[in-house]
Amino acid sequence: MTSNANLLHAPDAAPAPDADAAWQADVRAGVRHAGDLDHLPLSPAERAAAQEASANHKVRAPKAYLDLIDWNDPADPIRLQVIPQPQELVEQEGELDDPIADNGFSPVPRLTHRHADRVLLFPTYQCAVYCRFCFRKESLTSIGRGYSREALEPALAYIAEHTEIREVILTGGDPLSLPDKALAEIRARIEAIAHVRLLRIHTRVPVALPSRVTAGLISALQGRLMVTVVTHFNHAREITDATETACRALRQGGFVLLNQSVLLKGVNDTVEVLEELCRELMYRLGVKPYYLHHGDLARGMAHRRTTIAHGQALAAALRARLSGICNPVYVLDLPEGGGKVPLGPCYVEGRDGEDWRIRGLDGEVRAYTEVVEP
């Protein structure tokens, strides 16, 4: 399977209908390999550095996403997310190939079972866009690990055998980079397992390739299962008329929409940027800000990680500025499979029995006495 097989064809697929023509053209007109960097408005030095860095992590971005970049701004937040940079080649002690231990909790290929009631299922290791900060970059550099029915059989059998599993999370790779036929097959196989209740899909497609959200894609995901689509917007500049249309279609399809962002130094590490992002997600797209991730220990990403203290200060400022429905939870996904833990600020200043001292959002510390039935 070629590096573009997911996005353009499915096994035994018929020719693409007209509805798919727009997004397929968008993919073809974008950057699909290092050689395509030659067509971008980069200086010779930038182009050479980007091509060198792309050897460490594949490069891809649809044209619609590239069109959002202000090429006159070297610090453009979208540019920094997808154009390779030489800092990626500088690895720091403590960085990891598998930062959250996907492999350590993988009893069968293409599946991670870290928490009792849910599993990660990897139908593909290919994406519509390759983010430079990706914590699964080591997996995504493997060519030929796209979708096939046979590759998923051990994982589906495992889910069927483990009745404690209630939720299946499609990740990868980007599951929505698969053709409709493949998505429908996967959804049907999962919903045939009686104890599974919810299908969750982690995707950058509504952000970077919104034209891919077609009526056929939505139909492929509809069935018995509750479906939650978790998008990955990192900056308000990524929110456009096209992404609004895509998210509206997903909502009208009956799906719950959440968003998880990564806190990225130089991209979204100010309270003003995060405040605008979270408001626009909820108010314009109808997408609930869900998680704000501290940067994982992916190799070559020290230049994009903030300190935890800085992230906590941002989380406290957002709590004071935004309504609860617009606030994400600031989390760290611990190495060695420790799971996501909240890192947000604590407002408890002290306690003496039933008497508490709690700091309010205005900074004042107030007394609070518990009143409970003896």
PDB file of all heavy atoms in Angstrom, residues 210-222:
ATOM      1  N   PRO A 210     -11.256  19.612   5.795  1.00  0.00           N
ATOM      2  CA  PRO A 210     -12.691  19.614   6.110  1.00  0.00           C
ATOM      3  C   PRO A 210     -13.581  19.150   4.968  1.00  0.00           C
ATOM      4  O   PRO A 210     -14.688  18.644   5.215  1.00  0.00           O
ATOM      5  CB  PRO A 210     -12.966  21.074   6.487  1.00  0.00           C
ATOM      6  CG  PRO A 210     -11.841  21.867   5.898  1.00  0.00           C
ATOM      7  CD  PRO A 210     -10.649  20.959   5.925  1.00  0.00           C
ATOM      8  N   SER A 211     -13.124  19.279   3.728  1.00  0.00           N
ATOM      9  CA  SER A 211     -13.936  18.814   2.598  1.00  0.00           C
ATOM     10  C   SER A 211     -14.117  17.307   2.607  1.00  0.00           C
ATOM     11  O   SER A 211     -14.999  16.777   1.919  1.00  0.00           O
ATOM     12  CB  SER A 211     -13.302  19.258   1.277  1.00  0.00           C
ATOM     13  OG  SER A 211     -11.965  18.790   1.168  1.00  0.00           O
ATOM     14  N   ARG A 212     -13.303  16.593   3.391  1.00  0.00           N
ATOM     15  CA  ARG A 212     -13.436  15.129   3.514  1.00  0.00           C
ATOM     16  C   ARG A 212     -14.705  14.745   4.277  1.00  0.00           C
ATOM     17  O   ARG A 212     -15.186  13.612   4.166  1.00  0.00           O
ATOM     18  CB  ARG A 212     -12.187  14.565   4.224  1.00  0.00           C
ATOM     19  CG  ARG A 212     -12.258  13.087   4.603  1.00  0.00           C
ATOM     20  CD  ARG A 212     -12.252  12.200   3.368  1.00  0.00           C
ATOM     21  NE  ARG A 212     -12.469  10.798   3.698  1.00  0.00           N
ATOM     22  CZ  ARG A 212     -13.650  10.191   3.615  1.00  0.00           C
ATOM     23  NH1 ARG A 212     -14.732  10.863   3.235  1.00  0.00           N
ATOM     24  NH2 ARG A 212     -13.773   8.918   3.901  1.00  0.00           N
ATOM     25  N   VAL A 213     -15.268  15.669   5.041  1.00  0.00           N
ATOM     26  CA  VAL A 213     -16.476  15.375   5.813  1.00  0.00           C
ATOM     27  C   VAL A 213     -17.675  15.478   4.880  1.00  0.00           C
ATOM     28  O   VAL A 213     -18.280  16.531   4.703  1.00  0.00           O
ATOM     29  CB  VAL A 213     -16.623  16.326   7.014  1.00  0.00           C
ATOM     30  CG1 VAL A 213     -17.879  15.983   7.811  1.00  0.00           C
ATOM     31  CG2 VAL A 213     -15.390  16.227   7.910  1.00  0.00           C
ATOM     32  N   THR A 214     -17.991  14.362   4.254  1.00  0.00           N
ATOM     33  CA  THR A 214     -19.058  14.278   3.262  1.00  0.00           C
ATOM     34  C   THR A 214     -20.255  13.523   3.840  1.00  0.00           C
ATOM     35  O   THR A 214     -20.159  12.890   4.902  1.00  0.00           O
ATOM     36  CB  THR A 214     -18.569  13.545   2.014  1.00  0.00           C
ATOM     37  OG1 THR A 214     -18.191  12.201   2.399  1.00  0.00           O
ATOM     38  CG2 THR A 214     -17.366  14.248   1.388  1.00  0.00           C
ATOM     39  N   ALA A 215     -21.343  13.551   3.118  1.00  0.00           N
ATOM     40  CA  ALA A 215     -22.516  12.779   3.527  1.00  0.00           C
ATOM     41  C   ALA A 215     -22.186  11.291   3.593  1.00  0.00           C
ATOM     42  O   ALA A 215     -22.674  10.563   4.467  1.00  0.00           O
ATOM     43  CB  ALA A 215     -23.667  13.030   2.561  1.00  0.00           C
ATOM     44  N   GLY A 216     -21.330  10.834   2.683  1.00  0.00           N
ATOM     45  CA  GLY A 216     -20.946   9.426   2.691  1.00  0.00           C
ATOM     46  C   GLY A 216     -20.148   9.052   3.918  1.00  0.00           C
ATOM     47  O   GLY A 216     -20.336   7.973   4.494  1.00  0.00           O
ATOM     48  N   LEU A 217     -19.249   9.925   4.352  1.00  0.00           N
ATOM     49  CA  LEU A 217     -18.465   9.661   5.557  1.00  0.00           C
ATOM     50  C   LEU A 217     -19.377   9.588   6.773  1.00  0.00           C
ATOM     51  O   LEU A 217     -19.255   8.665   7.607  1.00  0.00           O
ATOM     52  CB  LEU A 217     -17.412  10.751   5.736  1.00  0.00           C
ATOM     53  CG  LEU A 217     -16.479  10.604   6.942  1.00  0.00           C
ATOM     54  CD1 LEU A 217     -15.087  11.121   6.614  1.00  0.00           C
ATOM     55  CD2 LEU A 217     -17.022  11.330   8.166  1.00  0.00           C
ATOM     56  N   ILE A 218     -20.312  10.533   6.885  1.00  0.00           N
ATOM     57  CA  ILE A 218     -21.220  10.540   8.037  1.00  0.00           C
ATOM     58  C   ILE A 218     -22.086   9.293   8.046  1.00  0.00           C
ATOM     59  O   ILE A 218     -22.265   8.640   9.092  1.00  0.00           O
ATOM     60  CB  ILE A 218     -22.063  11.827   8.018  1.00  0.00           C
ATOM     61  CG1 ILE A 218     -21.159  13.021   8.322  1.00  0.00           C
ATOM     62  CG2 ILE A 218     -23.205  11.749   9.017  1.00  0.00           C
ATOM     63  CD1 ILE A 218     -21.796  14.357   8.077  1.00  0.00           C
ATOM     64  N   SER A 219     -22.597   8.911   6.903  1.00  0.00           N
ATOM     65  CA  SER A 219     -23.424   7.710   6.812  1.00  0.00           C
ATOM     66  C   SER A 219     -22.638   6.463   7.204  1.00  0.00           C
ATOM     67  O   SER A 219     -23.175   5.554   7.850  1.00  0.00           O
ATOM     68  CB  SER A 219     -23.965   7.566   5.390  1.00  0.00           C
ATOM     69  OG  SER A 219     -24.714   6.379   5.244  1.00  0.00           O
ATOM     70  N   ALA A 220     -21.365   6.428   6.838  1.00  0.00           N
ATOM     71  CA  ALA A 220     -20.535   5.259   7.154  1.00  0.00           C
ATOM     72  C   ALA A 220     -20.368   5.057   8.659  1.00  0.00           C
ATOM     73  O   ALA A 220     -20.155   3.926   9.126  1.00  0.00           O
ATOM     74  CB  ALA A 220     -19.158   5.416   6.510  1.00  0.00           C
ATOM     75  N   LEU A 221     -20.492   6.129   9.440  1.00  0.00           N
ATOM     76  CA  LEU A 221     -20.270   6.052  10.886  1.00  0.00           C
ATOM     77  C   LEU A 221     -21.554   5.902  11.689  1.00  0.00           C
ATOM     78  O   LEU A 221     -21.502   5.690  12.899  1.00  0.00           O
ATOM     79  CB  LEU A 221     -19.524   7.307  11.356  1.00  0.00           C
ATOM     80  CG  LEU A 221     -18.136   7.514  10.762  1.00  0.00           C
ATOM     81  CD1 LEU A 221     -17.566   8.851  11.212  1.00  0.00           C
ATOM     82  CD2 LEU A 221     -17.202   6.380  11.148  1.00  0.00           C
ATOM     83  N   GLN A 222     -22.700   6.042  11.039  1.00  0.00           N
ATOM     84  CA  GLN A 222     -23.968   5.985  11.759  1.00  0.00           C
ATOM     85  C   GLN A 222     -24.444   4.553  11.910  1.00  0.00           C
ATOM     86  O   GLN A 222     -24.362   3.755  10.985  1.00  0.00           O
ATOM     87  CB  GLN A 222     -25.027   6.808  11.018  1.00  0.00           C
ATOM     88  CG  GLN A 222     -24.773   8.298  11.064  1.00  0.00           C
ATOM     89  CD  GLN A 222     -25.728   9.086  10.192  1.00  0.00           C
ATOM     90  OE1 GLN A 222     -26.099   8.637   9.101  1.00  0.00           O
ATOM     91  NE2 GLN A 222     -26.131  10.260  10.656  1.00  0.00           N
TER      92      GLN A 222
END
